Amino acid sequence: QAQLVESGGGLVQAGGSLRLSCVVSGKILSINRIRWYRQSPEKQRELVATRDNSGFTDYAESVKGRFTISRENGVVYLQMNSLNADDTGLYICNVRNGWTDYYGQGTHVTVYS
């Protein structure tokens, strides 16, 4: 069983940056894939960024060139630059161990202009 705890969200002015972190702990042998999702009352859960062990990364069209997903040891990161109001939402971290997916509770991001 793994536990994921996100942090780094908050209130930021449009054009600003935030770095989200997701600490992974517990019994997890290996991480095959990492992802960040975004959810808001107006939209369904959206896949924002993904990275697998081969180094392959992919991003939602709306964040390409602005967001970067990475992982260092047991922490998953999402660097977010040039934020705009559409980036507002609850950001949820996901890791896959084998065929099992684990999710955190999320961290809120609010972008104001």
Side-chain angles (χ1 to χ4, degrees):
Q1 192 75 12
Q3 294 80 42
L4 280 63
V5 178
E6 300 96 332
S7 63
L11 190 64
V12 61
Q13 191 170 18
S17 299
L18 283 175
R19 189 191 196 199
L20 306 184
S21 300
C22 171
V23 177
V24 182
S25 61
K27 289 187 177 181
I28 184 165
L29 296 178
S30 64
I31 295 175
N32 308 116
R33 187 188 71 195
I34 58 175
R35 284 181 168 177
W36 284 95
Y37 290 87
R38 176 169 70 193
Q39 190 169 328
S40 66
E42 298 79 20
K43 302 176 185 178
Q44 293 181 338
R45 181 176 289 192
E46 174 188 21
L47 175 60
V48 173
T50 188
R51 181 184 177 97
D52 67 22
N53 279 357
S54 73
F56 168 81
T57 58
D58 197 19
Y59 299 90
E61 282 298 322
S62 60
V63 308
K64 278 184 180 177
R66 301 188 296 120
F67 289 14
T68 303
I69 186 171
S70 63
R71 175 188 154 204
E72 184 172 345
N73 296 322
V75 185
V76 179
Y77 299 99
L78 185 68
Q79 177 67 43
M80 307 187 296
N81 300 326
S82 302
L83 288 162
N84 59 61
D86 289 337
D87 296 319
T88 293
L90 177 68
Y91 284 74
I92 301 166
C93 175
N94 161 242
V95 301
R96 172 167 287 189
N97 172 28
W99 294 106
T100 303
D101 281 301
Y102 299 93
Y103 296 87
Q105 295 297 308
T107 183
H108 285 279
V109 173
T110 303
V111 184
Y112 68 94
S113 54

